[in-house]
Amino acid sequence: MGFHHHPQHGPEAKYAVEREAELPTTQWEEEVARGLELGLPGADSIVDKRIPTFSRGELPHFAGINTFLKAPYLEDVRRCGEYDVAVLGAPFDGGTTYRSGTRFGPQGIRKISALYGPYSFELGVDLRESITIADLGDIFTIPANIEKTFDQISKAVAHVYASGAFPVVLGGDHSIGYPTVRGVAQHLQGNLGIIHFDRHVDTQETDLDERMHTTPWFHATDIPNVPPKNLVQIGIGGWQAPRPGVKVGRERGTTIMTVTDCVEMGIEAAAERALEVAWDGAEAVWLSFDVDCLDAAFVPGTGWPEPGGFLPREVLKFIQLIAERPLAGIEVVECSPPYDNAEITALIATRVICDTLGCLVRAGHLPSSTLEKKS
């Protein structure tokens, strides 16, 4: 079954190999030409005449200044609406209640993202050929003031979302979930749903007398058009779920799915349920992905690692199914490079973003059909 026409390939590989032949190379050729123009043709001894003297673009992966996926750095953020996707860092760990370091998350994610090209074999998508991505750099966060930082983040995310670009937020601890959602919600006529991957509920009102990374969804679901019934939390469990947060979720009627729930019902059925909850009467859905939803073995570089979480392949399958529907944007949080081993936590953060973008492209949600944003 599935090996009939191409006995050398499995069914997924057969699709992937055949799909690659259909993908254009126009943008790659333009990138090569631009590299030769701006970086000078290579030395006389270089046989491959596509190689410039100065590295410009994708190659070599170990060279260059780290933007996300080596996307162009857009210093003038007023122009972000000219791009389909805008990446922005929120380097803040002032909401951290145990071990800090997520202020270096955006830096770590960008660094390891250089390992990736824009093409996914299984998805049959080449981001370079299908969408434009800009890296806006980082939000100016205020290390000693969480509320001023929240205001900065809300203003930044609102600016990107209103421009028509798809926001990709590199955290940062999970306290940023509240201001990111606030920034999007103010530009919606209707309700915003939230799909939240995590091991922790993050729904208590305060922690250590402040709005910390354990509290974003209490405050987000206080926003009038972000109802708690549209908050679905995936992967919750273990010994780090404070009871006050559980009480809030119970009282507000949020939806929680544990790792066991998802694995036993099957990732496909779990994703279907998550989409059903988040989209129930909502105009848009925000994806908030905490890397600690994975088993602690795969994410040493995070503040509150917990055994028993998802396997990477389970999370990636889940994300791919979630992104078959449109999203308002995505944040990836709690990546803490000082605790990371061999950059594997930053790598899964990068992979989640790339798979989300790839599946939104494959499903026809990117580039956005509502605005022409090509520069």
Side-chain angles (χ1 to χ4, degrees), residues 219-242:
H219 302 287
T221 58
D222 267 352
I223 299 168
N225 64 333
V226 188
K229 76 177 181 69
N230 291 119
L231 170 61
V232 56
Q233 304 184 276
I234 300 161
I236 308 301
W239 294 85
Q240 301 165 0

Side-chain angles (χ1 to χ4, degrees), residues 88 157 161 166-169 174 176-181 184 192-196 217 230-232 278-279 284-289 322 326-332:
L88 60 160
V157 171
Y161 185 76
F166 179 86
V168 173
V169 181
H174 218 154
I176 74 167
Y178 164 58
T180 55
V181 162
V184 171
L192 180 63
I194 302 168
I195 295 177
H196 167 221
W217 309 128
N230 291 119
L231 170 61
V232 56
W279 276 103
V285 168
W286 179 257
L287 176 55
S288 183
F289 187 90
I322 293 294
L327 289 167
I330 178 176
E331 64 192 5
V332 178

Side-chain angles (χ1 to χ4, degrees), residues 71-340:
Y73 169 53
L74 187 64
E75 193 168 16
D76 185 353
V77 297
R78 295 168 297 182
R79 294 179 51 211
C80 65
E82 296 172 18
Y83 294 82
D84 300 311
V85 174
V87 179
L88 60 160
F92 181 73
D93 53 19
T96 304
T97 54
Y98 185 52
R99 59 188 195 191
S100 58
T102 56
R103 71 178 62 189
F104 301 107
Q107 195 178 88
I109 294 167
R110 287 186 176 106
K111 182 181 176 189
I112 200 63
S113 78
L115 191 65
Y116 277 16
Y119 163 65
S120 165
F121 178 70
E122 302 100 315
L123 298 182
V125 169
D126 188 328
L127 297 179
R128 176 167 46 208
E129 301 298 331
S130 49
I131 56 174
T132 54
I133 305 174
D135 193 323
L136 310 189
D138 290 340
I139 299 164
F140 195 134
T141 60
I142 313 299
N145 194 308
I146 197 166
E147 296 300 330
K148 288 179 181 178
T149 293
F150 284 175
D151 292 343
Q152 289 280 88
I153 292 170
S154 290
K155 185 171 181 180
V157 171
H159 169 75
V160 171
Y161 185 76
S163 79
F166 179 86
V168 173
V169 181
L170 312 177
D173 69 46
H174 218 154
S175 68
I176 74 167
Y178 164 58
T180 55
V181 162
R182 185 174 64 176
V184 171
Q186 70 189 57
H187 287 289
L188 296 177
Q189 300 299 312
N191 290 343
L192 180 63
I194 302 168
I195 295 177
H196 167 221
F197 283 83
D198 208 324
R199 291 292 273 152
H200 314 107
V201 288
D202 294 352
T203 45
Q204 62 199 79
E205 183 174 5
T206 60
D207 193 353
L208 310 178
D209 210 40
E210 294 286 347
R211 302 204 279 191
M212 304 294 275
H213 67 168
T214 45
T215 74
W217 309 128
F218 179 97
H219 302 287
T221 58
D222 267 352
I223 299 168
N225 64 333
V226 188
K229 76 177 181 69
N230 291 119
L231 170 61
V232 56
Q233 304 184 276
I234 300 161
I236 308 301
W239 294 85
Q240 301 165 0
R243 289 180 61 184
V246 177
K247 180 173 183 283
V248 168
R250 183 171 59 244
E251 290 171 349
R252 294 193 176 189
T254 66
T255 297
I256 292 176
M257 300 160 71
T258 68
V259 173
T260 302
D261 287 335
C262 296
V263 171
E264 291 191 350
M265 76 167 71
I267 299 298
E268 289 83 356
E272 191 176 325
R273 174 67 182 141
L275 288 167
E276 188 181 290
V277 172
W279 276 103
D280 182 20
E283 179 187 341
V285 168
W286 179 257
L287 176 55
S288 183
F289 187 90
D290 187 328
V291 295
D292 70 32
C293 70
L294 284 110
D295 186 275
F298 301 102
V299 286
T302 195
W304 286 85
E306 173 69 20
F310 287 113
L311 298 172
R313 65 181 177 222
E314 292 167 345
V315 153
L316 294 173
K317 179 65 176 174
F318 216 133
I319 289 291
Q320 289 165 12
L321 293 166
I322 293 294
E324 287 181 0
R325 297 284 302 273
L327 289 167
I330 178 176
E331 64 192 5
V332 178
V333 299
E334 297 293 349
C335 177
S336 183
Y339 287 93
D340 209 359

Side-chain angles (χ1 to χ4, degrees), residues 24-31 129:
T25 58
T26 314
Q27 297 304 315
W28 166 240
E29 289 160 16
E30 284 190 13
E31 185 175 296
E129 301 298 331

